[in-house]
Amino acid sequence: TTNVDIEMGEPAQPAPAFVPNAFKNAKHPIVCCFHFAFKIGGLGMYLLGRYILPVSFVTTFIITVLFLAFDFWTVKNVTGRKLVGLRWWNEVKEDGSSEWVFESLEDQTSVNPVDKNAFWLGLYGWPVIWCSFLILNVLSFDINYIILMCIAVVFSGSNVYGYFKCSKDQGQRVSELQGRFAQSAVRAVASRALG
């Protein structure tokens, strides 16, 4: 794995009128909205096509998968970086080997709590929702919608896995920094006491 530090020094965005009250105190209210927009779009299309409107399976499938793909890309490349200072990707080297690369904010104190809560709720909540619908479709023996739910679980689960590895790495890096700080503090105290 490779670690890269990122900066989050941009100022807070003012919340436009269309932003829900839950995101009014966020540093990035529009990004918070987009973090949920594609998720809600995909879930809404699935529910409309599956249970509410007589929409064909193919139309439901295509539009839902498009929303899932937009959500995957947005979470992976934009909202993770803007809301919590994390981003991940996998590089394939010339020899065919794979390497995980993580970008992470070194100082997590600049992360807005509303941004952080919105990000992690959306990241962990959506796979649970899609798994619930997968179970319902398995119980109803509907292979078409089982395939769609598997795609949804893979997209959302991939982001969970990437950010879990990224945040796990972030915790390790913070521990290393704390250890280095403690060592330098002990050396400073020892040198003052002895010198």
Side-chain angles (χ1 to χ4, degrees):
T1 61
T2 304
N3 298 315
V4 180
D5 290 326
I6 60 174
E7 299 285 328
M8 285 186 62
E10 67 256 2
Q13 300 171 349
F18 65 84
V19 171
N21 286 337
F23 302 140
K24 291 286 186 193
N25 293 326
K27 184 176 182 180
H28 302 95
I30 295 172
V31 176
C32 286
C33 288
F34 273 99
H35 185 62
F36 287 96
F38 295 124
K39 289 172 177 38
I40 292 169
L43 182 63
M45 187 61 212
Y46 166 72
L47 292 173
L48 281 172
R50 174 84 164 107
Y51 298 108
I52 300 171
L53 297 176
V55 178
S56 76
F57 169 74
V58 173
T59 302
T60 302
F61 186 91
I62 291 171
I63 295 174
T64 303
V65 169
L66 284 173
F67 274 118
L68 293 170
F70 294 153
D71 176 58
F72 175 80
W73 185 88
T74 303
V75 171
K76 184 178 164 307
N77 295 306
V78 179
T79 64
R81 182 174 54 85
K82 290 280 194 182
L83 299 180
V84 292
L86 300 172
R87 194 171 79 162
W88 63 272
W89 65 92
N90 190 293
E91 290 182 352
V92 178
K93 297 181 178 180
E94 289 182 20
D95 65 358
S97 65
S98 167
E99 178 183 25
W100 286 88
V101 181
F102 302 104
E103 282 187 346
S104 57
L105 183 65
E106 199 161 308
D107 180 19
Q108 287 287 313
T109 59
S110 64
V111 175
N112 180 288
V114 175
D115 288 351
K116 183 173 86 173
N117 291 338
F119 177 79
W120 293 112
L121 175 68
L123 186 74
Y124 288 125
W126 247 250
V128 171
I129 291 169
W130 288 123
C131 283
S132 302
F133 284 113
L134 175 62
I135 292 167
L136 289 173
N137 284 299
V138 166
L139 294 174
S140 68
F141 301 108
D142 193 336
I143 190 70
N144 290 330
Y145 285 105
I146 290 172
I147 293 169
L148 180 58
M149 292 302 98
C150 287
I151 292 169
V153 169
V154 166
F155 271 129
S156 59
S158 296
N159 267 331
V160 168
Y161 179 72
Y163 280 110
F164 173 77
K165 286 186 63 137
C166 196
S167 65
K168 183 177 172 183
D169 180 64
Q170 177 69 12
Q172 178 184 358
R173 291 180 67 203
V174 168
S175 296
E176 289 171 5
L177 287 173
Q178 288 173 341
R180 278 191 246 147
F181 177 74
Q183 286 175 346
S184 63
V186 167
R187 284 187 197 135
V189 170
S191 68
R192 285 186 187 171
L194 298 174

